[in-house]
Amino acid sequence: MKYGIELQQNIFGPWRLSYMAYDLLKQELKTRQLHHTWAEKDEEDFIGLLDNELTKVYDFINAKLSELDTRIIYCERTIQTLSKNTSMNSNASYSLMDESLTEILFDVNDLSRFTRVNFVAFQKILKKHDKWTYLNLRQDYVQALQNKPLDNQRFDVMIVYISALHDICRNYGKKSMGNSASGGDQNAFERATAKYWIHPDNVTEVKSIIMLHLPVLIFDKTKTWELSDSAVSSVYFDNNNHDLYTGRLQRDQGAEAIRYRWYGPNSSPDVFIERKTHHAAWLNGASIKDRFRLKEHQVNSYTSRELTADQIAEDLQSKNTDAAIVKDVHFIAQGIQKSLEEKHLQPMLRVFYNRTAFQLPDDQRIRVSLDTDLSFIREDHVYSTAHQNDAHTNWRRNDIDIAFNHITEMDILRFPYAVLETKLQTHLGQKPPSWLTSLVDSHLVHEVPRFSKYLHGAAHFYRDSLPLLPWWLSEATTDILKPRAENTGLTRSRSFKPLIDGRYRRAMIEEKERVKQASLLQHDQESDKSDETTIFISSNASATSELGVSTGKESKKKRKTHKPPEHDM
C-alpha cells in the first residue's frame, strides 16, 4: 500500500485540515522536476513549504494540549468541590466526571495518534525528497524537528493526572485504600508473567485502556509527578565468557542475573544492588528476586569488596533496623559479593527505559507495566575511548547523560518497540480479567514469550562471541504493526462518541455494576442456606445430646484442639 493511501486511512476526520499536506509536498517534488533539474530556488521553496506545514502541525498540537490541560483542571476542581460539598457528593456526580475524564482520555489518544501520524509523514516526505533530489535534507532538517518536536512523551504526564482523577471517581470520592509506595516484598509472590511488544503507534492507546481499569502506580505522592520519575536504569554484570547470559538463556538451575539499578536521573543518591536467581537452592527450587540499597558513593567500595556485607549489616544495626531485615541484607550482600569475586563479574550492559506501572495500591494480584524508550548501552569499556579511563575504577559510565545525547551510535541500541509485562498472582487463584484478555488478544500487542531485556542487549553487542542467541531476535527486525481489528481498543462511533471495544463506557460500567450486584446476591443466598443448615445441625445436635449420643464431628473437633501445632520447616 502506498503511504499516501495509508495516511488518508489514519486521518481523524474532524482534524483533517490540520495534518501535514503530504500530497501537496509530494506534488511539488514531482512537478518542479518535469522540465528542469532540482535547483537552489526549488530547494528554498520546498523548505519554506515544509516549515509552514511543521508550524501548522506543531501549533495545532500545542493548542489542543492547552485545551486538554484546561479541561483536566476543570475536572480536578469539580471533583474537589464534590468532595467538600455533601449535598453535591453523589455516585451520579462522580459518574458524570468519570465520563468527562474518559472523553478527555480519548482526545489525548487521538492527539497522540495525530502526532505520531504526522511525525511519520515528515520522515516519509524527507526520505522521498532525498531520493528524488539526491540531497540530504533529512539530516539537515533534524534541528527544525528538534525545535518543534513531534513526540508523544508529553502525553505521559497527562495520562498520570487523568489516572489519579479517574481513580477518585471510580471509588466515588473515596481515596484508594493502602499506600502506593508500599509494594511489600514482591519477591515472595508466585506470578504468572507474560511479555509483549507494543508498536509506537499503539503505545498511548494501550496505556489508556489499562488506565481505565487500573490506576497508574505513583510511588512518591509527596511531589508532583514528572516524566523523569518514570526513568529506570540498570547496569548488568557478567564475565568475558558470558556465563550469566548463557545460564539465564538456558534457564539453568541457580542461574543468576546481577544488576545495579537506580530510578530517575543519574544523580539519584540511591542504588539498588539486585540479584535474580532461577530455581534458588536455598528456597527449595523457587525463583526469586532480592535486593538491598546502597548510597551511590558506596557502590564502588562494595563492588571492589572494600565495603563488606558485615560492615553493611553493622551499619544497619547501628540505626536500629529490624533484626530480620539486617539478616536478609547480609545474606544478599554476601551472596552477590561472592558471585562478583568467584565469577569475575564486571559491568557489561546498561538498560534504560521509562516505566509506567499500573496497580491498585496494596493489591498485587494484578500488576501491569509498560516500558517505553528502551535503550541498551555498552558498559564493558571496549569501544568508548572516553570511557576507557573509567575502566575498573567506576561501576558505570560517566561520559553519558540520561538522554544519551553524547554517545556514539556504536555504543547504543534503541529498541523500536515498547514492552508490556503482565503479572498475575496465580497462587491466589487470580485469573486474568476479561479486559486484560481482550487487550492481549488484540491487534495492539505482539506476544514475545520469555523476552529478556538483558539477553536482547547482550545478544546485540556480543553476538560474535555467544554460542546461543535468543529466539526472538528475528522478530525485532519485522514490522509488528497489525491491521486494526473492528470493535477493538479505543474507537469512536459515527457521531464521534467514545467506544471501548465497540461499546459505550456507561454501558460497560452498568454491566460491571450488574455483575457486582448479582455476585453479592448470590453470596447472600449462599449465606442464608448456610444459616439454615447450621440451624438444622444445631437442632439435631441438641436432640442427640439429650439422648447421650456423641457425634463423630464433635469428637473429632475436640481431638483437633489438642493437636500440637505444626512448625514450618
Side-chain angles (χ1 to χ4, degrees), residues 234-237 258-260 262 347 349-350 379 395-396:
S234 303
V235 171
Y236 285 83
F237 283 66
I258 292 176
R259 67 191 181 200
Y260 294 177
W262 67 100
L349 180 76
R350 184 182 305 192
E379 284 279 355
W395 62 277
R396 65 179 176 186

Side-chain angles (χ1 to χ4, degrees), residues 517-528:
Q517 293 300 325
S519 177
L520 290 173
L521 180 60
Q522 182 180 359
H523 180 268
D524 291 341
Q525 290 174 344
E526 290 175 353
S527 297
D528 291 342

Side-chain angles (χ1 to χ4, degrees), residues 168-233:
I168 295 173
C169 293
R170 178 178 16 226
N171 295 311
Y172 300 118
K174 298 175 183 177
K175 292 184 178 180
S176 293
M177 298 299 293
N179 178 12
S180 296
S182 62
D185 183 8
Q186 298 183 18
N187 309 325
F189 296 125
E190 299 174 25
R191 283 195 175 103
T193 301
K195 296 182 180 180
Y196 309 84
W197 291 348
I198 312 296
H199 192 278
D201 288 5
N202 299 328
V203 167
T204 302
E205 183 172 358
V206 170
K207 281 185 180 180
S208 301
I209 291 171
I210 300 170
M211 195 222 75
L212 288 170
H213 303 277
L214 290 174
V216 175
L217 187 63
I218 301 175
F219 290 96
D220 187 359
K221 290 189 175 183
T222 62
K223 63 182 287 294
T224 301
W225 191 88
E226 301 172 353
L227 183 61
S228 60
D229 294 337
S230 64
V232 181
S233 302

Side-chain angles (χ1 to χ4, degrees), residues 474-511:
S474 60
E475 297 273 306
T477 60
T478 60
D479 189 359
I480 65 170
L481 188 63
K482 304 170 187 175
R484 189 165 193 91
E486 190 176 359
N487 294 330
T488 302
L490 304 185
T491 56
R492 290 186 181 270
S493 66
R494 291 182 180 179
S495 58
F496 300 108
K497 296 293 183 182
L499 297 175
I500 304 168
D501 289 341
R503 304 167 62 195
Y504 292 105
R505 168 77 170 159
R506 173 165 288 194
M508 294 180 67
I509 293 175
E510 290 175 350
E511 180 180 347

Side-chain angles (χ1 to χ4, degrees), residues 153-170:
Q153 290 186 7
R154 67 186 84 186
F155 302 118
D156 290 344
V157 176
M158 277 189 171
I159 288 175
V160 170
Y161 277 107
I162 294 171
S163 172
L165 296 175
H166 177 77
D167 194 40
I168 295 173
C169 293
R170 178 178 16 226

Side-chain angles (χ1 to χ4, degrees), residues 10 32 36 42 78 89 98 154 222 225 232 322 345 347 381 426 463 499 523:
N10 288 319
R32 283 175 176 265
H36 65 275
D42 297 315
T78 303
N89 192 329
D98 178 85
R154 67 186 84 186
T222 62
W225 191 88
V232 181
D322 183 86
L345 304 181
H381 328 308
T426 52
R463 189 184 190 114
L499 297 175
H523 180 268

Side-chain angles (χ1 to χ4, degrees), residues 36-74:
H36 65 275
T37 57
W38 193 260
E40 184 176 344
K41 182 67 166 59
D42 297 315
E43 184 71 359
E44 291 177 0
D45 290 346
F46 184 80
I47 292 176
L49 290 171
L50 202 61
D51 288 341
N52 183 70
E53 292 301 306
L54 178 59
T55 300
K56 178 186 74 176
V57 170
Y58 184 72
D59 288 348
F60 178 83
I61 293 171
N62 283 335
K64 282 294 179 183
L65 284 171
S66 297
E67 176 190 318
L68 289 169
D69 277 332
T70 301
R71 291 165 62 190
I72 291 172
I73 292 171
Y74 169 78

